[in-house]
Amino acid sequence: MSEPKVFLLPDLGEGLTEAELVSWLVAVGDEIRVDQPIAEVETAKSMVEVPSPYAGTVAVLHGEPGQTLDVGKPLISVTPVGAVAAPAKAPEVAETAEDAAAAVYREEEKAGSGNVLIGYGTPGGHGVARRTRPRKSSAAPVVAEPVAQVSAAEKAADDLVLMRTRVPGKLGAVISPLVRRMARDHGVDLGDLQGSGASGLIMRRDVEAVIKPSVAGRAAVAPVETPAAAAVAGTGDTDARTGLGITGRTAVRGVRKAVAANMTRSRSEIPEATVWVDVDATALVELRAALKKADPHHTPGLLAFIARFVTAGLRKFPELNSRLVTTEDTTGGASQEIVVFDGVNLGFAAQTDRGLMVPSVRNADKLSARGLDAEIRRLTAVVRDGKATPAELGSGTFTLNNYGIFGVDGSAAIINHPEVGILGVGRIIDKPWVVNGELAVRKVTELTLTFDHRVCDGGTAGGFLRFVADAIENPGSVLADM
């Protein structure tokens, strides 16, 4: 009898370490092909179809719809083509599965199709599963509980990945980014740890061994219940702190979890400042109306024109199209530098059923207003369908936020970390405005710029904001110069 091959949930890119299993596209007993989609998962970025690197018969489905799975943990077990299925059993999973996932996945690629794109499937191979036995409507998926034990293959893969990153210095080796982040989040000094991996490499289990006792100790000496804890500990359907009934509980995960983490990080790390200005947008509204009358089917939206002005402004004030990067040296010290980009990937906020998403128009500075309009419409449709890729959602260098569609005038927005600026546009409404010394009714909007005060001062921020405002007030002359 042949042992089933275990396919681990692959690295989904962009630092994503977990995904929610939305639905299985196959069932136990199905015959599947290499590269055939086997499951649909939802990450903090988008909806993803995961392809199989193996051909054979589905033996075990490791999870149920609605369950959150970690990268590097078993997703599906497949009995190879022509093999006699062995009784399904729980696979051995490395304690450091997240750290070894990339190397293990590469080995699986060699055994399977060899062309699986991490997190996003491969071209072709979308065959329909053929059943070898009838599916019982009441049957539940076979779910195996993984045993927390290190297999020889996974340990070797883990050691191989980490050995390649060795550098001389205080730590003796560079551990994985996940381990670094875990240590940083819990205040663990990696320099004081003796790694249990090959050649003294520091593994996830080493950091967890330090974290868990400290957490238990704090719980023992601090039994005082906080208001937040009281709310969670409320019995039945009544909140213990307020005495009010609870109408529902929603887990913070997926997009909402990612947004919460990013906004918290932005506010904690970026010393932001905000400047704003009221703008007479009458000329821009009239220009678009004239273009629409001449060509009703190919007229860009107002947001596309403003996006064109923003990219021009960022060329003039490149400090706002940058990123602040912190680097570590071998002695544990840190230094910072401002990295300015050659080109603009313009992000824009789009409200979807899954929450607020910020796709980015790549090389937006090279597009016309019509080109920007087409790409904004395409990306909006993609994110609302949940099909945007991490590259489309995580490559922005500056964000444009049109919150005027919600009927509000202004907002001190939170910067989309790790960018350094975000420009908000309020609703365009009729307001009294002084024109040539006389009062008139004009189309007025408010522009609000929030910027990272570490990369530029108020003069630069004000200059950029004034440039965009002047372009809106005199669009004809500005567009002629572009």
Side-chain angles (χ1 to χ4, degrees), residues 234-278:
T235 59
D237 295 322
T238 302
D239 177 49
R241 185 178 71 86
T242 63
L244 298 175
I246 298 174
T247 60
R249 298 178 185 271
T250 303
V252 179
R253 60 189 183 189
V255 172
R256 179 50 52 194
K257 181 178 179 180
V259 169
N262 197 47
M263 295 300 98
T264 299
R265 184 177 183 184
S266 180
R267 272 289 161 90
S268 65
E269 292 185 10
I270 300 177
E272 62 188 30
T274 303
V275 291
W276 60 91
V277 64
D278 288 337

Side-chain angles (χ1 to χ4, degrees), residues 178-188 207 211 269:
L178 289 175
V179 176
R180 282 183 178 274
R181 182 170 59 190
M182 179 184 291
R184 183 170 60 251
D185 291 346
H186 292 85
V188 177
V207 178
I211 295 172
E269 292 185 10

